[in-house]
Amino acid sequence: MARVLINFAHPALEKSRVHQQLLAAIKGIKGITFNDLYEWYPDLDVDVAREQQLLERHDIILLQHPFYWYSAPAIIKQWMDLVLEHGWAYGHTGKALQGKYLGNVISAGSAESGYHPEGRHQYPVRDFLLPFSQTAVLCNMQYLAPYVIYGVHRMDIEDIRGVAQNYRNMLEQLRDDKLTPEALTRLTYMNEALQLPSQTR
Amino acid sequence: MNQHSLLFQSMIYLAAAIVFVPLAKKMGLGAVLGYLIAGVIIGPSVMGFIGKEGEDIMHFAEFGVVMMLFLIGMELEPTLLWRLRTSILGLGGLQVLGSAAAIAGLAYWLGQPFNASLALGMILSLSSTAIVLQTLNEKGWMQTAAGQSAFSVLLFQDIAVIPMLAIFPLLASGAAGTTDVHESSLRDNLPAWGQTLVVLGAVAAIVVAGRYLVNPLMRIIARTRVRELFTATALLMVVAIAVLMNLVGLSSALGAFLGGVVLANSEYRHELESDIEPFKGLLLGLFFIAVGASIDFSLIMEEPLLIFGLVLGLMVIKGIVLMILGKIFKLSTDQNLLFAFALADIGEFAFVLLAFSNQVRLIDGRLSAMLTAIVAISMALTPLIMLLYEKVIQPRFTRQAPRGNERSSDEIHEKNPVIIAGFGRFGSMTGRFLRANGIKCTILDMDSDRVDALHNLGIKVYYGDASRYDLLVAAGAADARLLIVATDQYEQTRQIVTLAQKYFPHLQLLVRAQQVEDTFELMDQGVLHIYRETVDTSLRMGADALRMLGVRAYHSERAARTFFRQDERTLKGLSAMRDDKKQYLVSMRERIDEMEKLIASDRIKTWLDEGQGWDASSIRDEVRGEAES
């Protein structure tokens, strides 16, 4: 069984329709550690030792967050800046994360069609996530294909419930090694592995 | 209508108190004088509502004194006695001895028998604990040197009553005709030594009962969890002691005092105290009313010159003795005068002792009645004398800040970038934080006890008043960069700020403020960094409360910060408004209204503004709008 850590970040979860449902769906799944960064560090003062210990105890690290300004909420950056220390995560002696997997779980407002050369955002989501994938490489980790939930602005509550259930299934499969992370690194989006429609509407 | 019914009497007493005490306070006369005036008015001399002869009122009213002495006794912790031992024994002992000797000499010279003179000296050497403590407290003089000295003397006097009551029968046995006493106390038919023995036995009984019976009894009462029973037990204890004391012909006040002392170490001390406290105040008021009512005006009319002459003479004698003692014990002149003025009167114990010595035929009835009037008049004069002191004498002495003691400032041998004035609960936190970060601070504090305690902890703190120019210079204000003002008293804070702005304009000031008014004033003075002392903590508490109610941590944190910012802004806005009007006193009502309005509008705005960047609702509406069009 793979040990999965979800580092979650949403500065205003009380306003989020999607992530509230996602959290409700994955609540209490065995073998999965849920780490709510804004709840732990409302003053952005990240406890580095705690975070490093959590990373050491898990194989697959997922960053679950809304896709804000083509990136993650501020605390994820703060977390990366502080926790991924030189000599621990990277550098000659930095082998703590070697062989582990890193991935993003993202909700995006626009439909997938927006992330095309002709679309409003001009580039695919995967391109915007370059800082994450390269960070994984530098830290001797493998970057998983991102799991993207597109078009949340247009979803109604039924859509969201369906999306949340899919997310739960994905996590359970990851945990039970039915989805091998090794295989996931070769995909562009994790959605493909689950044969999910990447775009709900 | 039966004018002697308890209810009617109570009504008269209470109504008189309610009418005259506020009036007296309004005129600056103090509560005690108000009660006395009330007594005179409703007494036999003026309206005649109470006490045809003016004698049996005292009996009931004495209960207030009993309560007070019980409480005073309870205050007598061994540590307090030990701390004040020099002033109690030295100052108190010498005062009683000196005054008693002087007055006894006068009485003997005026033709009284030797034993009676001795008794009179002792009786009249006492001062009124009730009036003096009450007045000192009311005027806030309790913590001054004079107040502390007066307290010590009063303490000694209260204790001295015990041996006096034991000695009086012995003195009386020397006089003629002590045997034909027809009172009904237990010891009347005993010889003098037997009477002394009974007194000691009663005292011993109280001590033993207090030590071994009270705690178990209180434990049983406490277990019933009926709050009133506690009060009832406390009252029962006082009453029982009073009754026992009356039974053996002793003063019930004295017994209560003793009972209080015995109970001072009881684990239920604070419960007892708080239960009896309200009764004390009321009954003491009743006592003062009774004193006022018992002043025999016909006697005064008969011989006004003699009586007022005696009052004046006695008080002058006592005052002189007190002044000499004050000089010996190094009180400064203004404090010495206050000390002498406060204690020159004759106390309520005199009533008790007069009645007692009349009973054992130590002094005759007419003299006793006359002295009762004298004592009452002198007690009534005390608040007036204190008023005289406050209005006429005190202003003659330049208003020096009362210094706890005459300790001189410490020499300072270091120069640091930061000076902290005041190292109490506020400044110490800032100081420790800076020290932990390797910043050296020169710390000044005016509380000598605290300075000593910190020395023992190995923290270097200099004793001294930072509102003095020379001390700031010595602390290196000319070279320092920051001055942190964290003093407990705003008045001092203000002085330090003014001083620093005038002589050390290069210093950056960081100032602690307690009240909103202080903050405004500091803003007016141009202080940029003001720290209202409890704002941060209370908001942190508020944020935690939100969190415990299920609000997300980050939201709570931001809400607190937003509120803080808004509050500071509101405060500055209000301060500016105050300036614009060029009017120093903006009415409080206006300010509160303004504040509430601002907060209310902010609340709406703040919560809507919060996290708008993350709020997808408007963008969602837009996206949906596009889809529809």
Side-chain angles (χ1 to χ4, degrees):
Chain A
M1 262 180 42
R3 297 167 299 176
V4 180
L5 170 68
I6 298 174
N7 276 342
F8 171 75
H10 199 309
L13 179 63
E14 57 277 1
K15 297 187 174 188
S16 165
R17 305 177 311 143
V18 176
H19 286 273
Q20 275 181 17
Q21 291 297 321
L22 294 183
L23 296 196
I26 65 170
K27 201 171 152 191
I29 306 185
K30 257 199 185 158
I32 286 174
T33 308
F34 183 78
N35 185 29
D36 188 342
L37 293 177
Y38 274 113
E39 198 64 10
W40 274 92
Y41 314 115
D43 48 5
L44 301 191
D45 189 10
V46 175
D47 180 347
V48 174
R50 173 180 178 271
E51 292 302 316
Q52 290 185 346
Q53 273 175 23
L54 274 175
L55 290 176
E56 281 166 6
R57 287 209 305 269
H58 293 87
D59 310 308
I60 300 172
I61 290 96
L62 296 177
L63 306 175
Q64 179 189 334
H65 57 88
F67 199 45
Y68 280 164
W69 286 110
Y70 311 111
S71 185
I75 202 166
I76 295 274
K77 182 67 166 63
Q78 175 86 339
W79 177 89
M80 287 168 72
D81 293 351
L82 295 175
V83 179
L84 305 179
E85 278 177 326
H86 178 256
W88 181 81
Y90 70 102
H92 288 309
T93 56
K95 306 289 182 210
L97 301 173
Q98 194 154 31
K100 294 182 190 290
Y101 295 89
L102 181 73
N104 294 78
V105 175
I106 291 168
S107 62
S110 304
E112 189 177 12
S113 55
Y115 294 95
H116 273 288
E118 296 81 34
R120 169 196 291 246
H121 306 296
Q122 300 192 17
Y123 301 94
V125 167
R126 181 79 204 230
D127 284 11
F128 291 117
L129 294 174
L130 192 60
F132 293 95
S133 62
Q134 186 53 34
T135 297
V137 170
L138 194 64
C139 294
N140 310 300
M141 300 168 92
Q142 309 230 41
Y143 188 66
L144 296 172
Y147 184 88
V148 187
I149 300 162
Y150 287 106
V152 296
H153 288 329
R154 295 198 191 169
M155 284 185 185
D156 58 30
I157 195 71
E158 283 310 312
D159 300 331
I160 294 172
R161 288 217 179 95
V163 161
Q165 198 50 50
N166 289 338
Y167 182 45
R168 184 190 171 99
N169 294 340
M170 187 275 282
L171 286 178
E172 281 171 347
Q173 291 187 42
L174 257 186
R175 177 196 64 189
D176 301 338
D177 302 318
K178 285 178 187 156
L179 268 180
T180 51
E182 181 58 31
L184 286 180
T185 59
R186 288 190 291 272
L187 297 175
T188 314
Y189 295 100
M190 209 190 290
N191 309 43
E192 297 163 22
L194 300 159
Q195 278 135 22
L196 288 174
S198 54
Q199 190 184 346
T200 43
R201 208 172 278 171
Chain B
M1 182 169 48
N2 179 9
Q3 292 216 341
H4 293 283
S5 78
L6 182 65
L7 280 178
F8 182 78
Q9 293 272 318
S10 310
M11 185 186 79
I12 294 295
Y13 275 107
L14 291 172
I18 289 169
V19 171
F20 288 101
V21 174
L23 271 176
K25 287 214 89 155
K26 192 102 191 151
M27 291 189 285
L29 297 178
V32 174
L33 209 54
Y35 283 121
L36 287 171
I37 294 169
V40 171
I41 303 281
I42 62 173
S45 311
V46 183
M47 321 236 330
F49 279 134
I50 54 164
K52 286 265 164 347
E53 310 295 319
E55 55 197 17
D56 59 340
I57 328 161
M58 288 301 290
H59 223 72
F60 180 49
E62 258 174 35
F63 203 53
V65 181
V66 170
M67 293 279 193
M68 183 187 69
L69 283 165
F70 185 70
L71 286 173
I72 290 177
M74 237 188 254
E75 289 292 331
L76 289 187
E77 296 159 84
T79 48
L80 179 75
L81 286 179
W82 185 246
R83 193 159 58 77
L84 295 176
R85 63 190 183 280
T86 4
S87 47
I88 292 176
L89 282 180
L91 211 50
L94 287 175
Q95 185 272 327
V96 171
L97 273 180
S99 301
I103 295 168
L106 179 74
Y108 192 65
W109 180 69
L110 287 176
Q112 287 293 316
F114 180 75
N115 282 356
S117 306
L118 221 54
L120 287 175
M122 285 192 264
I123 293 171
L124 300 175
S125 71
L126 305 175
S127 320
S128 170
T129 309
I131 292 187
V132 176
L133 283 191
Q134 183 105 352
T135 318
L136 287 177
N137 266 329
E138 258 176 41
K139 306 220 185 259
W141 288 337
M142 214 41 227
Q143 294 310 315
T144 61
Q148 288 292 303
S149 305
F151 181 71
S152 297
V153 171
L154 290 167
L155 222 57
F156 182 87
Q157 290 180 352
D158 292 342
I159 300 169
V161 175
I162 302 173
M164 285 182 195
L165 283 166
I167 291 169
F168 278 18
L170 295 176
L171 285 180
S173 68
T178 45
T179 41
D180 59 329
V181 182
H182 297 293
E183 309 281 332
S184 59
S185 77
L186 270 179
R187 31 157 235 192
D188 286 335
N189 300 323
L190 294 172
W193 60 268
Q195 296 190 11
T196 309
L197 213 64
V198 168
V199 171
L200 292 178
V203 169
I206 291 176
V207 172
V208 171
R211 266 202 109 63
Y212 297 105
L213 282 180
V214 170
N215 273 345
L217 176 68
M218 293 304 261
R219 216 162 290 137
I220 295 168
I221 300 298
R223 231 174 277 138
T224 63
R225 295 184 184 284
V226 183
R227 181 86 189 121
E228 310 84 273
L229 269 192
F230 241 93
T231 315
T233 316
L235 282 176
L236 172 67
M237 239 177 264
V238 181
V239 174
I241 292 171
V243 168
L244 171 72
M245 280 306 186
N246 274 335
L247 212 60
V248 298
L250 269 188
S251 140
S252 40
L254 175 68
F257 175 71
L258 206 71
V261 174
V262 174
L263 292 179
N265 282 321
S266 157
E267 54 192 290
Y268 293 100
R269 179 181 146 206
H270 294 294
E271 277 93 338
L272 288 171
E273 257 176 324
S274 57
D275 278 339
I276 294 187
E277 192 68 48
F279 291 95
K280 182 200 84 173
L282 210 53
L283 287 168
L284 213 53
L286 180 62
F287 172 76
F288 292 133
I289 293 181
V291 171
S294 65
I295 297 175
D296 188 344
F297 281 89
S298 58
L299 200 66
I300 297 174
M301 289 308 177
E302 273 175 41
E303 297 185 79
L305 276 180
L306 176 67
I307 286 180
F308 277 100
L310 278 175
V311 170
L312 207 68
L314 284 169
M315 291 180 84
V316 168
I317 289 177
K318 293 184 74 171
I320 290 172
V321 172
L322 286 162
M323 286 291 285
I324 295 170
L325 285 175
K327 262 272 152 328
I328 296 174
F329 280 78
K330 299 200 168 59
L331 284 177
S332 59
T333 312
D334 63 326
Q335 292 291 303
N336 197 2
L337 277 169
L338 172 59
F339 177 61
F341 272 56
L343 294 174
D345 67 343
I346 301 160
E348 57 276 348
F349 266 130
F351 297 122
V352 177
L353 289 171
L354 278 172
F356 181 60
S357 38
N358 187 25
Q359 187 188 318
V360 296
R361 301 282 159 156
L362 200 49
I363 52 178
D364 67 69
R366 188 176 158 77
L367 181 61
S368 174
M370 198 190 277
L371 283 173
T372 304
I374 287 174
V375 173
I377 292 171
S378 93
M379 281 170 81
L381 283 178
T382 305
L384 285 176
I385 291 178
M386 299 287 257
L387 201 66
L388 182 78
Y389 175 83
E390 188 185 17
K391 297 279 181 244
V392 179
I393 298 187
Q394 199 184 33
R396 286 175 190 271
F397 294 88
T398 43
R399 281 194 170 268
Q400 304 158 315
R403 302 240 158 80
N405 49 19
E406 292 301 309
R407 179 170 172 175
S408 60
S409 305
D410 292 340
E411 294 275 316
I412 302 174
H413 301 291
E414 56 180 324
K415 292 226 185 301
N416 292 318
V418 180
I419 301 170
I420 300 180
F423 209 62
R425 62 192 162 91
F426 193 96
S428 61
M429 201 69 178
T430 313
R432 278 170 47 210
F433 171 75
L434 290 175
R435 224 164 65 116
N437 284 280
I439 308 291
K440 292 211 164 130
C441 306
T442 302
I443 300 163
L444 306 171
D445 199 287
M446 262 213 344
D447 183 333
S448 58
D449 289 345
R450 190 189 289 152
V451 171
D452 291 340
L454 288 167
H455 271 297
N456 291 338
L457 288 173
I459 297 173
K460 211 193 286 172
V461 177
Y462 296 102
Y463 173 80
D465 179 356
S467 59
R468 273 174 38 202
Y469 171 74
D470 54 336
L471 202 79
L472 277 183
V473 171
D479 302 309
R481 292 175 55 195
L482 308 180
L483 172 61
I484 295 175
V485 187
T487 38
D488 295 323
Q489 300 297 324
Y490 176 68
E491 186 49 35
Q492 222 208 340
T493 301
R494 205 176 52 76
Q495 285 173 11
I496 297 172
V497 167
T498 313
L499 199 68
Q501 284 177 331
K502 191 165 171 196
Y503 295 104
F504 309 105
H506 71 281
L507 275 180
Q508 296 227 59
L509 294 177
L510 295 91
V511 186
R512 162 196 185 188
Q514 271 116 328
Q515 314 287 334
V516 184
E517 285 75 22
D518 306 346
T519 314
F520 283 149
E521 222 179 278
L522 287 168
M523 284 175 177
D524 286 353
Q525 285 205 43
V527 178
L528 296 175
H529 308 284
I530 303 168
Y531 302 86
R532 287 178 290 149
E533 63 175 11
T534 54
V535 173
D536 296 80
T537 324
S538 25
L539 281 179
R540 207 151 54 76
M541 193 191 220
D544 282 349
L546 276 187
R547 231 162 134 166
M548 287 175 190
L549 290 171
V551 178
R552 303 260 308 160
Y554 187 61
H555 178 94
S556 309
E557 178 92 9
R558 293 189 75 240
R561 283 171 202 253
T562 311
F563 189 92
F564 177 77
R565 265 197 312 279
Q566 202 54 53
D567 197 50
E568 293 269 287
R569 205 175 303 149
T570 308
L571 217 58
K572 282 189 183 131
L574 282 174
S575 174
M577 246 157 41
R578 209 177 53 142
D579 268 3
D580 279 346
K581 285 183 182 167
K582 291 283 172 218
Q583 201 178 17
Y584 205 75
L585 290 166
V586 172
S587 86
M588 205 57 192
R589 188 60 236 168
E590 209 176 315
R591 190 183 293 168
I592 290 169
D593 273 353
E594 208 62 49
M595 188 83 120
E596 279 173 357
K597 249 183 259 164
L598 272 164
I599 288 175
S601 65
D602 282 337
R603 190 165 55 219
I604 298 158
K605 229 177 89 196
T606 305
W607 302 133
L608 287 181
D609 277 354
E610 160 121 38
Q612 209 166 45
W614 306 316
D615 180 9
S617 64
S618 61
I619 189 173
R620 198 157 56 229
D621 292 346
E622 194 178 302
V623 169
R624 287 190 167 161
E626 277 169 18
E628 277 159 23
S629 62

